[in-house]
Amino acid sequence: MSTTTLAEVDVDPSETAARGKGAKFAWISGFRSPKTIVGIVIVVFFALVAIFGPLLVTTDPSAVSFNVLLPPSAKHLLGTTHTGQDIFAQMVVGARISMLVGFVAAVLATLLSLIIGLAAGYLGGIPDELLSLVSNIFLVIPTLPLVVILAGALPSTGSLSITIVISITAWAWGARVLRAQTLSLRKRDFVEAARATGESTFRIIFREILPNQTAIVAATFLSTVIGAILTQASLAFLGLTDVTEWSWGGILYWAQNSSALSFGAWWWFVPPGLCIALLGTALSLINFGIDEFINPRLRLAGIATKKGAKKALTRLQAPKQPIRGPRRQARRTGGLGSFTRGDVILEVKNLTVDYTSASAPVHAVDDVSLTLRRGQVLGIAGESGSGKSTLAYAITRLHRPPAEITGGELIYTNRDGSTVDILKLTDRELTDFRWEELSIVFQSAMNALNPILRVGAQIEDAIAAHRPDMDAQGRSDRVRELMGLVGISIDRVSAYPHELSGGMRQRVMIAIALALDPEIIVMDEPTTALDVVIQRQIVEKIMELKDRLGFSVIFITHDLSMLIELSDEIAIMYAGRIVEVGSAQEFYRNPKHPYSQGLLGSFPTLSGPKKVLTGIVGAPPDLRSLPSGCPFRTRCPHAFDACATIEPVLLPLPTVEVPSANELRSVSCHLYDPELTRVPALAEGVAK
Amino acid sequence: MTTENSRITNVGADMTVEAWPSNEPVLKVRGLTKHFPVRRRFLGRGPKKVVHAVENVDLELYAGQVTAIIGESGSGKSTVARLLAQLYVPTSGEIALYGKPVHVKHGKAFRTYVGQVQLILQDPFGSFNPVHTIAYHLRRVLRIHNPSLGLKAIDDRMAEVLKEVNLAPANQFSEKYPHELSGGQRQRISIARALAANPSVLLADEPVSMLDVSIRLGILNLLEKLATERNLALLYITHDIASARYFATTATVMYAGELIEGGPAEAVTQQAGHPYTQLLIASAPDPDRDESVERIKDIGQPPSLIDPPAGCRFHPRCPFAMEKCHTEAPPKFDLGDGHWARCWLHESGAAATPMFPKEE
Amino acid sequence: MKAFLRRGLFYLITAWAAITLNFLLPRLIPGDPVSRMLARFHGQLGPNAVFALRKLFGQTSDNIWVQYVDYWNRLFHGDFGVSFTSYPTPVTTIIGQGLPWTLGLIGVCTVLSFVIGTALGALVGWKRGTWVDSFIPVTTFLTSIPYFWFGLIVVYIFALQLHWFPLSGGYTPGIQPGWSPEFVGSVVQHAILPSLAIIVSSIGYWLLGMRNMMITTLSEDYVLLAQAKGLSKRRVLTTYAGRNALLPSLAGFALSLGFIVGGSIITEVVFNYPGIGYALFQAVQGQDYPLMQGIFFIITIAVLAANLVADFLYVILDPRTRQEA
């Protein structure tokens, strides 16, 4: 369990859109996909046939005639049997029994699954053990032979007995799924909250837990229908049902027993199987829609195309279109490029990352420029949705669709002074470049380590991929050296991730990042999921290694006070933009942007006298509907007219406001623009 | 006033809240202990194992005051909140509300109790059922705790509590589904839901740890304001020791299931008496810290609660551990002004405020 | 190890439940099945067989517990009674004749379809969003086909129309069974059509399941990190994505085995294949209870054994299961 779990929730418009329809039956929105619609149309068609068909078909399906074994014709749409019965009539009448048995058995089985699954999942303990045991036994026992024997033992072979037999043997899978679902829902906070308000157990199960399971119940039900229809067909085919009652399986029974095959009467045995398969396919298609709702990753799979990546690259070449209102033009020449004091290793220039979706693209990272120097720590702070994680992934080009880099440059300077634009690297070049020069540490080490591979092997394979000439002994030595560096005892080299504590796992992540001695390590909230004491250990380890090995760090976090402690330079992000850049200590002493001031005024301090906490009103903005002009103006205590109309850009502060010549400070705020008229008193108050 | 009247009826005829002396705790806990059995399967063998999640905790919550429990994950601080909310049955120990011992598990007595003691959960995203509207959540609480109220009255009360958490106009929020609101708004509604029961005690389990920094302050200020205005006893559970300094009157520190230090928040955070508290303070990010002072380093990790260390549970990590610490659990030592610590270093003769040695 | 013991215990309980069910079923049949049966086999059954029949349906003077103990006793001695339909052949003999055929056909085909389906599923998942996605509707259709019907279709096309393969049976009658090339060739030739029917109609099940797991796994951070580290596509596909996605698939395989094997067994009927599926069909037709019981018993045990193997594989592949608190 993590205490500080302020994870950056990246904007994913497609996901919110799908759930945005709201509430109880949101999964029905999955029904808009063409696949699902085709499925529904087919099922409805068969249902109509089953309900009304027998009333409309005038021919008696059992009536014999002299028109034996006729192929399909206008008179006999599906031909005739060897006794001259009309197969079309049999199919229409048979649809009723096949579907009735299928659906009724599925209703019964689903009810049984619900009762057993909910009871086992909610009660837990011994009832759960027993009910799970029973359902697992029913799952493992081969169903069909059991049904065959049960059906064979039945005194009556009518549809009702067959339906009951099928439902008795078909509930176990659903019960298992629903039990697992109930178990996980029972642990959810809203159930605990309901209990804490004094809600009764009955209401908790039926009003809190059950409505959340509609999608899973529907999916279980549909797959049980398929199974039941298939089972009924098998039993009828084997002659274990009442074969004088027409069903699709029953038609196949007669076809088989009357040697339809050797007569070559394909019209006799093809239609029933085809109808069963079609109906089954239709039900599965509906289930795909539900599956994609339950597991959004499946829905996103379609977006993750090579096409998408190509599109992004071509767009990259095109000049960037201004998307929102007028933007203040940078009039002072030089801009950020002129900050090259010392050794620049990475320059982010006008980087823009969009989230593309059906609706308008969202700029998760909007025209961001940053400079990282050798051996230094560049800290990037921001709240959720500020785009800081998106920026981290974009810098390493590990962003995933629907995120797309739509503009900018990432200029990396090699040790020999030559430069390369990371965004222009081909896939092959990127694979070689990444990890060799630039590596990344993810936020959650638990999720970023392969659960079934020993940690030593996960460090080693990075080396093996980039140093094909190194022998096994060399790699193994390097792994041991790395583990020593990050402070893990060597005997843990053969441990699996789940055997390590959270702090140890994060150390493994750092060892992996260090494997090839990169020049830059991007750290995306590397300590957010850890407790303060462990967090301190990890941060100190990172700083120690940085000083020893001389790499540069881009450190991303929401924890501003920690960032100030460890960064050389700090950048504050808001709504996808950098709103202030400066040296960490100067920034801390004298923040310029009203947002920075608000952020610093939100942190309680431990040492020194208590200060007055000011905080910031309002909430971080929704990137899909940003205010005009400055995105912060709605929360800003100093906003004036120009803020609503002109979008500020990041500009170096006029030298008069910069205390020392060494100080580099840029702010994206109209308060510091002498050419814009404003209430002077306010601005002075801010500058203080 | 109607609210005051209904509170009296909730408590019962034998006590009146107004008459409750302010120097007496509203909720008093003595020796609270919770052991969770380690789940065993069919073939489990050996002695029955338990997780010693909470051990012998004493706690008092006073009306109109904020009491903080500071602890890391796994320290048992959330379990304390759930024990106080009667969601878990204590293994042993006594909880007294308005001086009256509480023994409820379910049914009417449970409802009456939770009407008095309300829990606010950490996760504003998870603590609402996604299939129900905000109004459903709030109406249910009002209905459960005021069965006699009519529909109109319930909706009026709903608007009142929403206004109290600065969400107005009410209808702009009540008909929405949880996912349509921001984290900060949801956490305000969590508070509104707790208020709807008209409680005397609020248990806030990490109420702001999942919120953005810029929003946290607003929520904490709201809670503080409610504690003062409604004269609520507020338990603030947190891992952030700095926020406890600013926000709580009294602070206690929890380690491995035990309270190891307590007292006025300023004293606990500025003159920490227990080595663990000192470690927490040294580890917390703080740009104002004097960087010339070498930071103390930690040894080891929190212990297994299935088999906690004998004596003081912190001794395997403690740089001052003495012979005695390995065998005997330290009692509370008074450090003056209500400040206490469970550490043998404070036994008479030892240093009053030990400091960690510099890094070797 | 402990996890293993627990699974083992579970299988023992399951086996016990199945066997007990086998014991109870004939006793739950209403009316007097024995008299009905005696009338059907009038004069054919010897006094021993009549006695065995009464025993089977619980029509003895012993109380049910004595009967139950007796049932277990006979089970341990491999005595499943005598088949009625091929009186007086013992049930064990009939099962012994059919079992190798079924194990050879169904066993091999089930494993093959799992392996091929899972491998294809991993590829389709890996190449998500490309043309391979168009496989999905086709595969869905295949999974919805009744096994036996697909059997009919392949027989019609490949045996009756094209005459490429024999129509039915396990081998050409007249050839002396043995390890002669002639016999083996004939067996293989006869097995191709039923194998095709079984594999084609069950492969989609594994393919779709694995594809979905693969897509879910591919969005895991550890896969992203593996790509970032610059590992070869093959290593990411196999060691990082594939092996993790395989785990739920394998668990599903164990649990669905009963279902799949049940469906495959009916395929034997279509091909008059000399396995125990066909024998079961004949037993049900002839109301041959001892044979039905014996076959159900042997199928259950076989499925349980296969489950145990799948569990064993799972433990090998997932280190997390090895650590039990």
Side-chain angles (χ1 to χ4, degrees):
Chain A
M1 285 297 125
S2 60
T3 48
T4 331
T5 29
L6 183 86
E8 168 140 4
V9 186
D10 264 322
V11 196
D12 182 350
S14 57
E15 183 150 340
T16 29
R19 297 189 181 236
K21 293 296 151 198
K24 201 174 295 187
F25 295 103
W27 50 278
I28 287 178
S29 67
F31 286 2
R32 284 174 312 190
S33 90
K35 265 186 294 186
T36 318
I37 290 170
V38 169
I40 292 174
V41 168
I42 297 175
V43 173
V44 168
F45 168 75
F46 277 115
L48 290 177
V49 169
I51 296 168
F52 300 108
L55 308 174
L56 301 175
V57 171
T58 46
T59 325
D60 177 2
S62 307
V64 295
S65 72
F66 292 109
N67 305 324
V68 296
L69 289 173
L70 290 180
S73 64
K75 189 154 179 285
H76 301 284
L77 284 174
L78 291 173
T80 58
T81 69
H82 72 307
T83 53
Q85 294 163 328
D86 184 61
I87 296 174
F88 179 74
Q90 293 179 351
M91 285 294 299
V92 171
V93 175
R96 186 176 270 188
I97 290 291
S98 287
M99 289 192 70
L100 196 67
V101 171
F103 277 86
V104 173
V107 167
L108 292 177
T110 308
L111 273 178
L112 209 57
S113 325
L114 255 181
I115 294 168
I116 291 177
L118 279 175
Y122 192 81
L123 298 177
I126 289 168
D128 178 29
E129 295 269 0
L130 286 178
L131 290 172
S132 303
L133 180 70
V134 172
S135 52
N136 281 341
I137 288 176
F138 267 87
L139 264 178
V140 171
I141 289 181
T143 324
L144 203 68
L146 179 64
V147 177
V148 166
I149 288 171
L150 282 175
L154 281 178
S156 127
T157 52
S159 303
L160 183 67
S161 352
I162 295 296
T163 308
I164 290 172
V165 167
I166 293 177
S167 49
I168 288 176
T169 50
W171 57 271
W173 181 261
R176 188 183 160 88
V177 173
L178 285 168
R179 170 189 169 267
Q181 178 81 357
T182 308
L183 261 183
S184 83
L185 281 170
R186 190 172 69 117
K187 289 190 196 120
R188 293 273 291 275
D189 279 358
F190 67 79
V191 173
E192 184 141 68
R195 285 181 60 211
T197 56
E199 204 70 278
S200 67
T201 308
F202 182 83
R203 276 193 79 102
I204 287 177
I205 294 181
F206 289 97
R207 295 287 285 152
E208 305 288 339
I209 292 181
L210 195 54
N212 277 292
Q213 293 179 317
T214 43
I216 296 233
V217 172
T220 311
F221 172 73
L222 292 181
S223 35
T224 315
V225 173
I226 305 174
I229 290 177
L230 282 173
T231 311
Q232 193 273 342
S234 306
L235 290 178
F237 175 70
L238 294 177
L240 292 170
T241 61
D242 181 356
V243 286
T244 57
E245 246 180 1
W246 288 109
S247 72
W248 291 339
I251 299 173
L252 286 170
Y253 168 81
W254 288 112
Q256 166 82 348
N257 281 15
S258 320
S259 312
L261 276 176
S262 32
F263 290 132
W266 55 267
W267 57 87
W268 194 353
F269 59 86
V270 169
L274 210 55
C275 284
I276 293 172
L278 255 179
L279 185 58
T281 310
L283 291 165
S284 302
L285 287 177
I286 301 176
N287 251 353
F288 283 165
I290 301 175
D291 272 352
E292 287 182 1
F293 170 78
I294 297 171
N295 183 353
R297 289 174 180 185
L298 292 178
R299 179 155 27 89
L300 290 172
I303 309 169
T305 59
K306 289 236 163 84
K307 247 187 294 167
K310 288 218 180 78
K311 205 172 64 196
L313 271 179
T314 47
R315 241 189 253 179
L316 201 56
Q317 320 303 334
K320 203 187 153 230
Q321 299 295 317
I323 297 194
R324 305 188 308 112
R327 182 173 286 204
R328 199 92 174 104
Q329 290 304 308
R331 279 153 297 134
R332 295 178 192 85
T333 49
L336 289 166
S338 64
F339 286 178
T340 46
R341 169 192 58 97
D343 227 358
V344 172
I345 182 159
L346 182 74
E347 266 202 281
V348 180
K349 285 186 179 168
N350 310 98
L351 187 70
T352 299
V353 184
D354 289 354
Y355 276 94
T356 48
S357 64
S359 50
V362 165
H363 298 316
V365 172
D366 193 355
D367 200 16
V368 162
S369 299
L370 285 168
T371 307
L372 174 68
R373 289 174 184 77
R374 267 185 211 284
Q376 295 209 339
V377 179
L378 170 64
I380 300 176
E383 297 179 271
S384 53
S386 65
K388 59 185 191 303
S389 273
T390 310
L391 177 63
Y393 284 92
I395 289 174
T396 45
R397 273 182 69 183
L398 285 171
H399 58 286
R400 286 176 161 172
E404 252 178 48
I405 298 179
T406 50
E409 288 173 279
L410 284 174
I411 307 296
Y412 176 79
T413 310
N414 288 303
R415 282 224 174 256
D416 60 10
S418 62
T419 59
V420 56
D421 184 353
I422 298 175
L423 294 183
K424 295 223 167 70
L425 294 177
T426 63
D427 282 357
R428 185 66 246 166
E429 289 166 341
L430 180 67
T431 308
D432 290 338
F433 173 84
R434 204 162 43 200
W435 236 255
E436 196 75 62
E437 311 288 339
L438 170 70
S439 62
I440 183 166
V441 174
F442 291 148
Q443 176 178 128
S444 163
M446 189 67 218
N447 298 339
L449 290 172
N450 187 344
I452 54 170
L453 212 54
R454 298 176 194 279
V455 293
Q458 302 194 47
I459 304 174
E460 191 181 335
D461 58 13
I463 306 169
H466 289 267
R467 306 264 189 279
D469 302 333
M470 197 184 263
D471 61 357
Q473 186 57 46
R475 291 199 301 265
S476 157
D477 290 346
R478 175 68 179 150
V479 169
R480 282 157 189 277
E481 184 191 344
L482 285 165
M483 296 198 45
L485 272 180
V486 297
I488 311 175
S489 68
I490 306 294
D491 57 339
R492 306 260 69 189
V493 73
S494 57
Y496 288 99
H498 69 271
E499 296 166 341
L500 300 176
S501 68
M504 283 298 152
R505 284 197 284 261
Q506 202 53 274
R507 283 169 195 262
V508 172
M509 288 299 294
I510 295 169
I512 292 176
L514 286 172
L516 301 168
D517 259 330
E519 297 291 331
I520 304 172
I521 302 182
V522 177
M523 302 204 172
D524 179 23
E525 308 231 20
T527 59
T528 300
L530 303 172
D531 274 320
V532 271
V533 177
I534 309 292
Q535 167 175 309
R536 175 61 62 189
Q537 293 172 0
I538 300 286
V539 164
E540 297 207 328
K541 183 50 92 178
I542 293 171
M543 299 314 278
E544 175 204 321
L545 289 170
K546 184 208 73 167
D547 291 342
R548 229 164 105 188
L549 304 173
F551 54 82
S552 319
V553 177
I554 296 179
F555 199 104
I556 291 168
T557 180
H558 67 278
D559 189 344
L560 193 54
S561 35
M562 189 174 78
L563 206 58
I564 290 165
E565 269 190 55
L566 60 86
S567 304
D568 295 298
E569 206 164 304
I570 228 168
I572 306 293
M573 272 190 98
Y574 188 79
R577 298 148 175 81
I578 304 283
V579 295
E580 183 163 359
V581 185
S583 93
Q585 286 309 313
E586 278 304 314
F587 168 84
Y588 180 56
R589 275 195 288 278
N590 188 7
K592 293 293 183 191
H593 196 283
Y595 176 63
S596 315
Q597 293 163 352
L599 270 186
L600 284 170
S602 304
F603 277 100
T605 51
L606 260 179
S607 45
K610 279 200 215 179
K611 62 179 185 183
V612 178
L613 299 181
T614 49
I616 306 174
V617 294
D622 180 351
L623 288 181
R624 280 165 297 179
S625 51
L626 285 179
S628 64
C630 171
F632 185 64
R633 71 173 169 85
T634 48
R635 303 173 74 188
C636 180
H638 312 296
F640 56 99
D641 297 353
C643 302
T645 52
I646 306 172
E647 194 182 338
V649 291
L650 193 61
L651 295 173
L653 273 186
T655 37
V656 276
E657 297 203 32
V658 179
S660 72
N662 292 341
E663 170 61 4
L664 324 155
R665 185 75 75 86
S666 299
V667 184
S668 165
C669 178
H670 294 326
L671 288 174
Y672 304 98
D673 191 331
E675 287 177 29
L676 288 170
T677 50
R678 59 181 189 272
V679 188
L682 268 181
E684 271 165 27
V686 171
K688 221 175 275 169
Chain B
M1 278 194 289
T2 53
T3 51
E4 292 305 316
N5 287 338
S6 59
R7 184 178 295 171
I8 295 165
T9 43
N10 275 352
V11 173
D14 55 334
M15 41 181 141
T16 50
V17 174
E18 277 89 342
W20 191 256
S22 65
N23 58 351
E24 282 290 317
V26 177
L27 196 68
K28 185 172 171 180
V29 173
R30 282 290 168 268
L32 191 65
T33 300
K34 179 68 186 176
H35 294 170
F36 290 105
V38 175
R39 192 176 153 77
R40 284 193 311 178
R41 302 294 186 140
F42 310 128
L43 287 182
R45 250 182 255 126
K48 205 174 166 80
K49 287 179 182 165
V50 292
V51 176
H52 299 249
V54 172
E55 201 85 71
N56 197 20
V57 161
D58 297 343
L59 200 64
E60 293 92 27
L61 303 182
Y62 295 91
Q65 283 196 27
V66 181
T67 306
I69 296 183
I70 303 153
E72 292 184 281
S73 49
S75 62
K77 58 189 192 302
S78 291
T79 309
V80 169
R82 281 155 182 74
L83 285 168
L84 295 187
Q86 296 283 343
L87 290 179
Y88 296 159
V89 181
T91 308
S92 65
E94 187 169 86
I95 300 172
L97 182 66
Y98 287 112
K100 201 177 158 193
V102 184
H103 299 287
V104 292
K105 274 179 194 162
H106 36 247
K108 203 157 180 275
F110 175 72
R111 282 195 172 188
T112 314
Y113 180 82
V114 296
Q116 288 288 294
V117 181
Q118 276 283 310
L119 179 65
I120 297 167
L121 294 171
Q122 173 183 14
D123 181 2
F125 301 90
S127 52
F128 290 93
N129 194 333
V131 305
H132 294 310
T133 59
I134 298 305
Y136 173 89
H137 288 97
L138 292 175
R139 285 195 190 114
R140 278 306 301 163
V141 186
L142 290 165
R143 164 111 324 137
I144 290 169
H145 296 288
N146 307 281
S148 56
L149 278 188
L151 282 179
K152 176 80 179 67
I154 282 188
D155 280 8
D156 289 347
R157 291 281 290 275
M158 182 165 81
E160 270 172 44
V161 290
L162 281 173
K163 195 167 169 238
E164 220 172 335
V165 296
N166 302 332
L167 292 178
N171 55 15
Q172 205 183 318
F173 300 95
S174 60
E175 290 315 312
K176 290 208 162 134
Y177 284 94
H179 68 90
E180 296 173 290
L181 300 174
S182 72
Q185 287 169 338
R186 269 183 272 196
Q187 202 56 307
R188 281 174 193 272
I189 288 167
S190 272
I191 297 171
R193 169 163 65 179
L195 292 181
N198 201 16
S200 337
V201 179
L202 267 190
L203 311 167
D205 184 11
E206 303 233 28
V208 296
S209 71
M210 292 188 76
L211 299 177
D212 271 317
V213 177
S214 69
I215 302 167
R216 290 184 186 177
L217 196 62
I219 300 287
L220 288 181
N221 286 338
L222 172 66
L223 283 171
E224 194 174 29
K225 186 191 90 177
L226 290 171
T228 321
E229 286 178 3
R230 286 189 161 228
N231 208 28
L232 287 170
L234 182 59
L235 179 67
Y236 172 58
I237 291 172
T238 184
H239 67 273
D240 178 6
I241 190 164
S243 75
R245 178 193 182 198
Y246 273 71
F247 181 58
T249 326
T250 313
T252 54
V253 181
M254 199 159 181
Y255 180 76
E258 295 175 328
L259 289 183
I260 50 112
E261 180 164 4
E266 192 65 14
V268 170
T269 54
Q270 299 304 304
Q271 293 102 40
H274 195 285
Y276 173 67
T277 316
Q278 295 169 2
L279 175 65
L280 268 187
I281 292 169
S283 301
D286 183 4
D288 284 332
R289 196 193 321 270
D290 184 357
E291 286 298 324
S292 60
V293 177
E294 187 74 46
R295 213 188 287 277
I296 51 95
K297 294 243 172 168
D298 179 38
I299 335 158
Q301 295 192 353
S304 152
L305 292 180
I306 294 177
D307 190 15
C312 172
R313 287 187 179 181
F314 188 62
H315 85 255
R317 290 171 86 179
C318 183
F320 311 108
M322 304 174 286
E323 207 51 45
K324 204 172 195 175
C325 306
H326 293 249
T327 49
E328 279 177 72
K332 275 185 184 177
F333 289 104
D334 187 17
L335 307 180
D337 292 332
H339 186 188
W340 58 268
R342 281 182 196 275
C343 177
W344 286 116
L345 290 171
H346 298 287
E347 200 179 17
S348 56
T353 43
M355 284 307 295
F356 268 95
K358 302 273 165 69
E359 187 59 21
E360 66 282 350
Chain C
M1 200 56 228
K2 212 163 170 185
F4 245 140
L5 284 175
R6 241 181 51 219
R7 289 306 287 173
L9 187 70
F10 166 71
Y11 289 124
L12 281 181
I13 292 176
T14 309
W16 167 81
I19 291 166
T20 305
L21 196 67
N22 226 344
F23 167 77
L24 287 176
L25 270 179
R27 285 165 177 75
L28 294 176
I29 295 172
D32 183 5
V34 178
S35 309
R36 286 207 302 269
M37 214 153 297
L38 287 179
R40 257 177 16 104
F41 293 101
H42 187 71
Q44 292 173 39
L45 300 178
N48 281 342
V50 175
F51 179 65
L53 197 61
R54 295 214 175 273
K55 243 183 175 171
L56 176 66
F57 286 94
Q59 296 184 350
T60 56
S61 51
D62 297 332
N63 78 28
I64 193 141
W65 294 109
V66 176
Q67 292 177 28
Y68 191 55
V69 171
D70 182 48
Y71 170 77
W72 272 100
N73 190 28
R74 278 182 289 127
L75 211 63
F76 274 120
H77 290 92
D79 176 10
F80 292 94
V82 174
S83 162
F84 301 153
T85 39
S86 16
Y87 186 78
T89 323
V91 167
T92 27
T93 313
I94 297 179
I95 292 177
Q97 284 166 352
L99 198 59
W101 293 101
T102 302
L103 282 180
L105 180 72
I106 314 268
V108 170
C109 288
T110 308
V111 171
L112 267 183
S113 88
F114 175 71
V115 171
I116 301 172
T118 307
L120 284 178
L123 280 174
V124 172
W126 178 259
K127 295 214 167 276
R128 68 206 180 282
T130 64
W131 59 273
V132 291
D133 277 357
S134 49
F135 266 121
I136 296 162
V138 181
T139 338
T140 314
F141 183 76
L142 288 182
T143 51
S144 312
I145 291 177
Y147 286 61
F148 60 90
W149 178 74
F150 196 66
L152 291 176
I153 301 289
V154 293
V155 165
Y156 178 70
I157 297 173
F158 295 105
L160 287 166
Q161 296 295 314
L162 299 171
H163 299 287
W164 287 0
F165 298 103
L167 181 67
S168 65
Y171 59 98
T172 316
I175 302 179
Q176 193 58 40
W179 287 109
S180 63
E182 204 188 358
F183 179 72
V184 172
S186 166
V187 167
V188 169
Q189 211 188 8
H190 278 80
I192 288 176
L193 280 189
S195 307
L196 186 71
I198 293 173
I199 293 181
V200 167
S201 41
S202 63
I203 205 168
Y205 191 85
W206 308 119
L207 196 155
L208 289 177
M210 184 65 180
R211 172 194 174 261
N212 285 0
M213 276 322 300
M214 196 70 182
I215 287 173
T216 311
T217 311
L218 281 173
S219 52
E220 293 287 349
D221 271 358
Y222 56 78
V223 175
L224 188 65
L225 181 67
Q227 287 165 335
K229 284 195 286 191
L231 304 190
S232 66
K233 277 206 172 94
R234 234 191 77 187
R235 186 160 170 88
V236 178
L237 174 62
T238 54
T239 318
Y240 282 77
R243 233 178 100 185
N244 279 294
L246 180 66
L247 292 172
S249 213
L250 195 61
F253 176 71
L255 286 172
S256 325
L257 216 54
F259 183 76
I260 302 276
V261 167
S264 314
I265 273 176
I266 296 193
T267 321
E268 291 189 357
V269 176
V270 177
F271 292 92
N272 290 331
Y273 205 75
I276 52 173
Y278 189 59
L280 177 68
F281 172 67
Q282 287 179 317
V284 171
Q285 298 262 301
Q287 300 209 345
D288 188 345
Y289 281 99
L291 188 54
M292 270 157 63
Q293 280 200 341
I295 292 175
F296 179 63
F297 172 80
I298 212 76
I299 295 176
T300 307
I301 297 300
V303 167
L304 289 183
N307 256 294
L308 204 63
V309 173
D311 273 0
F312 187 69
L313 280 176
Y314 194 98
V315 172
I316 290 178
L317 286 176
D318 189 352
R320 284 165 295 187
T321 54
R322 278 174 243 158
Q323 177 206 303
E324 195 79 5

